[in-house]
């Protein structure tokens, strides 16, 4: 079991498969990209599967989310999914992606054992998409979403970040579009995880702003804390249900008290929180011949050091050194 000193138990593992991405979203990284990890620093496919096996067999992990960077850029992704699906106990598996490569991989991922996907899409306007991501790939994302739906990677969840002056007016249109396609839309407050450290709390679009915008067109009723559990998104029934919309308010309504996540970076480091500035190395133990039990012991000790909260409300908060693309969302 992975339990911290506040009694929280981690059952959800986020695994970053690569720090690389084929978009350059303005809230994540600079236009020229970043200094990518060297290939020897990345975990191999075998190392990733072994760590996930330790997590589910010895540490009580029940869900695995593959992230990046962009996880579809990992050449061995389908094989990793297939091998994790064969573990006992078998964890639930999902993938967070920008959707660009889903049209060609969705069917294979479903056949390998992937359960569902989260796809990032911030706008319905191709020109705004190009401005936000610095790439002209809007149509590819829409095609990827449809391919995921057709392959049965459901429920297909769409993650949206609203940015002032760009797409902050699109919330009602995005929800209407998502309802029409059978996708579950989740708005995410912009977080201080951009490589260029340009995030400013006073200029971000907040959960309150998003809900006020949605209510100009839809009736929203809170789903309730019992239904939410440890999920990061607060959810609302839309026009009486059954459709829902979620808001992940990491900044203005932090949900740290119910956090059940642990994170593995692409280079084999354990992070207990997206906003942590400390990491614990598992790659070294793996490559020096450490046993499964020893690696599990290191992981448990890392979890004991998890802080009570992310500290975003603390005026002395310091942004993590690694951007979102290197940590995994």
């Amino acid at each position: 079991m992975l339990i911290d000193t506040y009694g929280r138990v981690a059952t959800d593992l986020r695994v970053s498969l690569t720090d690389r991405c084929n978009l350059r979203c303005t809230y994540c990284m600079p236009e020229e990209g970043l200094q990518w990890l060297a290939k020897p620093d990345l975990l191999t496919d075998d190392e990733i599967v072994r760590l996930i096996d330790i997590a589910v067999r010895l540490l009580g992990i029940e869900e695995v989310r593959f992230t990046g960077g962009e996880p579809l850029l990992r050449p061995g992704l389908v094989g990793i999914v297939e091998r994790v699906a064969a573990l006992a106990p078998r964890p639930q598996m999902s993938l967070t992606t920008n959707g660009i490569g889903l049209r060609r991989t969705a069917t294979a991922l479903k056949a390998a054992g992937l359960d569902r996907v989260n796809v990032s899409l911030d706008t319905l306007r191709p020109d705004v998409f190009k401005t936000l991501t610095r790439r002209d790939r809007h149509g590819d994302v829409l095609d990827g979403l449809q391919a995921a739906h057709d392959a049965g990677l459901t429920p297909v969840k769409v993650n949206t970040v609203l940015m002032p002056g760009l797409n902050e007016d699109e919330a009602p249109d995005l929800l209407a579009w998502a309802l029409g396609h059978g996708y579950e839309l989740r708005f995410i407050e912009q977080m201080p995880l951009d490589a260029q450290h340009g995030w400013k709390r006073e200029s971000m679009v907040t959960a309150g702003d998003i809900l006020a915008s949605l209510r100009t067109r839809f009736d929203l009723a809170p789903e309730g804390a019992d239904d939410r559990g440890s999920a990061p998104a607060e959810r609302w029934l839309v026009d009486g249900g059954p459709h829902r919309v979620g808001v992940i308010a990491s900044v203005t309504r932090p949900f740290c008290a119910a956090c059940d996540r642990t994170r593995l970076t692409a280079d084999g480091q354990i992070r207990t929180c997206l906003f942590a500035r400390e990491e614990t190395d598992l790659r070294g133990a793996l490559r020096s011949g450490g046993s499964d039990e020893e690696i599990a012991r290191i992981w448990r000790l890392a979890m004991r050091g998890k802080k009570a909260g992310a500290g975003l409300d603390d005026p002395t908060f310091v942004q993590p050194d690694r951007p979102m693309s290197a940590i995994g969302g």
Side-chain angles (χ1 to χ4, degrees):
M1 181 182 294
L2 287 171
I3 185 168
D4 65 25
T5 56
Y6 301 93
R8 296 170 297 192
V9 178
T11 58
D12 185 333
L13 170 61
R14 307 296 170 97
V15 180
S16 176
L17 297 179
T18 178
D19 59 329
R20 298 173 184 264
C21 189
N22 43 11
L23 297 179
R24 296 292 181 270
C25 296
T26 56
Y27 51 79
C28 184
M29 70 172 74
E31 186 171 5
E32 64 274 14
L34 299 168
Q35 182 67 44
W36 308 123
L37 292 168
K39 187 173 182 179
D41 293 335
L42 294 170
L43 294 175
T44 66
D45 293 1
D46 288 345
E47 289 171 336
I48 289 170
V49 174
R50 183 183 172 196
L51 287 175
I52 296 174
D53 175 54
I54 292 170
V56 301
R57 186 167 43 83
L58 300 180
L59 298 174
I61 290 298
E62 299 172 357
E63 299 179 41
V64 174
R65 171 84 61 85
F66 296 109
T67 70
E70 173 44 53
L72 294 183
L73 294 180
R74 178 90 186 197
L77 172 61
V78 172
I80 291 171
V81 170
E82 188 171 34
R83 292 170 66 184
V84 173
L87 297 178
R90 181 205 188 280
Q92 288 290 304
M93 286 185 292
S94 59
L95 177 84
T96 294
T97 171
N98 62 31
I100 287 175
L102 269 179
R103 180 171 58 181
R104 66 176 183 276
T105 57
T107 300
L109 287 168
K110 179 64 177 179
L114 190 70
D115 295 301
R116 63 172 188 81
V117 294
N118 288 28
V119 180
S120 298
L121 180 65
D122 300 323
T123 178
L124 298 175
R125 306 167 186 164
D127 59 325
V128 176
F129 181 92
K130 187 174 181 179
T131 299
L132 277 168
T133 67
R134 304 184 179 104
R135 297 291 186 271
D136 190 11
R137 307 295 298 273
H138 189 259
D140 293 324
V141 179
L142 296 181
D143 289 346
L145 279 161
Q146 187 62 54
H149 185 273
D150 293 345
L153 293 169
T154 54
V156 175
K157 296 183 180 181
V158 177
N159 294 339
T160 296
V161 176
L162 297 181
M163 300 287 289
L166 286 172
N167 62 338
E168 63 184 320
D169 62 329
E170 286 196 66
D173 289 340
L174 281 159
L175 180 53
W177 166 82
L179 296 177
H181 286 80
Y183 306 144
E184 184 174 323
L185 181 62
R186 309 191 314 169
F187 292 96
I188 304 175
E189 287 183 337
Q190 183 195 3
M191 293 180 283
L193 290 168
D194 57 311
Q196 55 271 49
H197 290 200
W199 177 87
K200 291 183 175 60
R201 184 187 182 102
E202 61 271 16
S203 63
M204 61 176 283
V205 180
T206 68
D209 298 330
I210 294 165
L211 292 170
S213 179
L214 292 175
R215 285 184 168 120
T216 63
R217 196 182 305 179
F218 302 95
D219 177 65
L220 303 180
E223 186 178 53
D226 291 340
D227 293 310
R228 180 183 183 183
S230 61
E234 294 181 79
R235 298 198 302 181
W236 282 262
L237 293 172
V238 181
D239 292 338
H243 299 294
R244 295 169 173 82
V245 63
V247 178
I248 299 177
S250 302
V251 177
T252 63
R253 304 180 187 179
F255 41 87
C256 302
C259 181
D260 65 349
R261 282 165 286 289
T262 183
R263 300 174 183 275
L264 178 65
T265 68
D267 55 348
Q269 309 302 305
I270 288 298
R271 295 179 70 93
T272 57
C273 174
L274 264 178
F275 303 101
R277 294 183 60 81
E278 304 83 20
E279 297 179 336
T280 300
D281 180 33
L282 293 185
R283 186 186 64 198
L286 273 175
R287 295 182 179 178
S288 63
S291 67
D292 289 358
E293 290 72 19
E294 173 63 12
I295 291 166
R297 184 189 69 82
I298 295 171
W299 206 328
R300 290 190 192 99
L301 284 174
M303 190 67 182
R304 297 290 291 176
K306 185 169 183 171
K307 295 180 179 179
L312 297 182
D313 293 329
D314 187 337
T316 64
F317 170 77
V318 179
Q319 181 170 330
D321 294 330
R322 295 221 214 184
M324 177 77 79
S325 61
I327 300 170

